[in-house]
Amino acid sequence: MIRLVLASGSATRAALLRAAGLDFTAQPAPVDEASLKEAARAEGIPPADAAILLAEAKAIRVARREPEALVIGADQLLVCEGAWFDKPEGTAGARAQLQALRGRTHTLFTAMVLWRHGQRVWQHVATPRLTMRDFSDSFLDRYLALEGEAVTHSVGAYRLEGPGIQLFREVEGEHSAILGLPLLPLLGFLRQHGALD
């Protein structure tokens, strides 16, 4: 069987792969995401392509050390009405971000790139759309107090698998893609290429 390596330190992505029954190792792939995003925005690169660029940067970093493995790079961008959002800095940043997203629909561009033998062998971008309800400031205060620093760990300042689900009115898209790793297309690719039965 082909050895799988997740080029990420994300506990959520690792948990998704484990829950799906995949055997893999995880290796964080430190890249300067802020600089890559800034350059992509400055060059007018569309969000889907920027997400691919970020995922690929991570995959390449680990693939250099693991040429025989199938290396999974992943990244996610949040875009709302043309504005790109990053992981918030602290609770104050999360509050401002959630206030900006409140009552609006945003898209998550969740990208995966797989590398093996020094080349890209597959890529995929999922685009879940999520609509936040018009929640009150008092609800937002309670939510932030309940979640604490966890809100700084995701690009949207929410954990859909936790209390963050209460922020939403409508959610469209594969759950795992919202969490950061579209499992169904990944599993399909792995089956087609002999990495899974």
Side-chain angles (χ1 to χ4, degrees):
M1 293 290 266
I2 300 170
R3 199 161 59 82
L4 293 179
V5 177
L6 175 64
S8 174
S10 165
T12 301
R13 289 190 179 107
L16 285 168
L17 291 178
R18 268 195 304 276
L22 297 184
D23 185 21
F24 69 98
T25 58
Q27 295 186 28
V31 297
D32 187 350
E33 292 184 44
S35 292
L36 287 172
K37 280 185 193 175
E38 191 175 316
R41 270 187 277 210
E43 293 171 28
I45 294 174
D49 294 340
I52 286 284
L53 184 131
L54 288 158
E56 186 162 58
K58 295 175 182 178
I60 290 170
R61 183 107 182 213
V62 172
R64 287 186 185 130
R65 301 190 301 261
E66 299 276 1
E68 297 300 316
L70 188 58
V71 178
I72 305 166
D75 208 282
Q76 189 174 59
L77 292 179
L78 188 157
V79 179
C80 182
E81 298 177 8
W84 293 21
F85 288 78
D86 297 313
K87 288 180 182 175
E89 292 187 19
T91 305
R95 178 187 301 280
Q97 185 160 311
L98 289 168
Q99 286 172 331
L101 296 174
R102 176 169 53 191
R104 295 178 173 169
T105 299
H106 64 266
T107 302
L108 294 171
F109 292 86
T110 307
M112 283 185 299
V113 174
L114 273 60
W115 268 64
R116 189 172 190 222
H117 294 146
Q119 64 183 357
R120 182 197 307 174
V121 294
W122 186 71
Q123 69 179 46
H124 177 80
V125 180
T127 53
R129 288 171 51 85
L130 298 88
T131 303
M132 285 194 179
R133 64 187 183 87
D134 192 12
F135 48 81
S136 66
D137 285 341
S138 60
F139 172 84
L140 181 56
D141 290 340
R142 290 194 304 275
Y143 167 74
L144 291 170
L146 180 63
E147 284 288 82
E149 286 301 306
V151 294
T152 64
H153 299 163
S154 84
V155 69
Y158 55 78
R159 292 182 310 123
L160 205 67
E161 70 278 24
I165 191 68
Q166 293 190 46
L167 296 165
F168 292 93
R169 179 165 51 83
E170 188 175 354
V171 173
E172 304 169 36
E174 184 193 347
H175 186 70
S176 62
I178 295 166
L179 299 187
L181 196 71
L183 279 177
L184 293 178
L186 175 61
L187 294 172
F189 173 85
L190 295 176
R191 277 191 214 95
Q192 288 172 5
H193 290 79
L196 278 180
D197 292 335

